Amino acid sequence: HVKSNWYGQSKRRHAMRFKVWTIAIFIVAAALTASGGYLAAADPTPTDIIKARQEHLKDMGASMKAIVDQVRSGSPDKTIATDAAKKIAAYSRQIPEWFPKGTGEEAGIKTAAKPEIWAQPDDFQAAAEKLPPEADKLVEAAATGDAATIGAQVQATGRVCGGCHKIFRVPPPEH
């Protein structure tokens, strides 16, 4: 007869499980120590951050264009307009995070981000915080499928975007 502990396992089986878990914990601890405390990829470089920021901003612009195209069609596709508006709304909440210190001209990458973003961080934050409420209204407008309603909110959202761009973005070259 083999003695069991309080939850029915034999002492031998319990000892074996204890050894396996101890070894597993040791291996994980060693891996964490060797990786500098985490197993994720290295922190993004300023170049990575700028390129991701530029991709997100281009994606926002493409989403706005998709909505404008739907409005111009005269009979907007609710799904296309709403999906694009939701993307803009989601991105709008992330914008302040896309501009950490060290991701301006000093990074050596061409960027339209003006130094004022980092010189006037409170003003930039305040300008960026104006976009999410307008983007949320754009989602609501897009869901109506009504071209006039969507068009009016596209203009309101665009004014907020433009207000930030005037202060914090180098104007694009004129053609």
Side-chain angles (χ1 to χ4, degrees):
H1 180 271
V2 177
K3 281 195 156 193
S4 295
N5 59 13
W6 63 274
Y7 51 90
Q9 286 187 329
S10 71
K11 287 183 179 182
R12 179 175 286 157
R13 189 169 179 196
H14 180 71
M16 184 63 155
R17 278 195 172 172
F18 178 78
K19 286 179 188 176
V20 169
W21 278 106
T22 302
I23 291 169
I25 290 169
F26 177 76
I27 290 170
V28 169
L32 286 170
T33 301
S35 70
Y38 55 90
L39 295 174
D43 290 337
T45 66
T47 300
D48 296 334
I49 293 167
I50 292 168
K51 287 185 181 203
R53 173 174 73 216
Q54 290 170 341
E55 287 175 24
H56 295 323
L57 291 168
K58 284 178 186 172
D59 198 17
M60 283 181 77
S63 295
M64 189 66 106
K65 182 184 181 314
I67 298 168
V68 168
D69 290 346
Q70 289 302 306
V71 170
R72 287 185 180 153
S73 77
S75 56
D77 180 315
K78 280 189 204 183
T79 303
I80 292 172
T82 304
D83 288 350
K86 285 179 180 178
K87 187 179 282 191
I88 292 167
Y91 277 147
S92 73
R93 288 166 171 71
Q94 300 170 17
I95 290 174
E97 300 166 15
W98 296 345
F99 295 87
K101 284 185 180 182
T103 63
E105 293 174 342
E106 71 278 6
I109 306 265
K110 185 177 178 181
T111 176
K114 285 184 172 179
E116 286 85 343
I117 291 172
W118 299 278
Q120 303 165 14
D122 293 339
D123 293 343
F124 177 68
Q125 181 73 29
E129 287 175 359
K130 291 178 183 177
L131 184 55
E134 293 302 321
D136 289 342
K137 291 177 193 173
L138 185 58
V139 173
E140 292 171 15
T144 69
D146 179 68
T149 302
I150 298 169
Q153 190 54 43
V154 163
Q155 289 179 350
T157 304
R159 279 192 296 274
V160 172
C161 292
C164 193
H165 290 176
K166 283 179 188 171
I167 302 166
F168 299 108
R169 183 177 119 185
V170 175
E174 292 185 30
H175 299 290

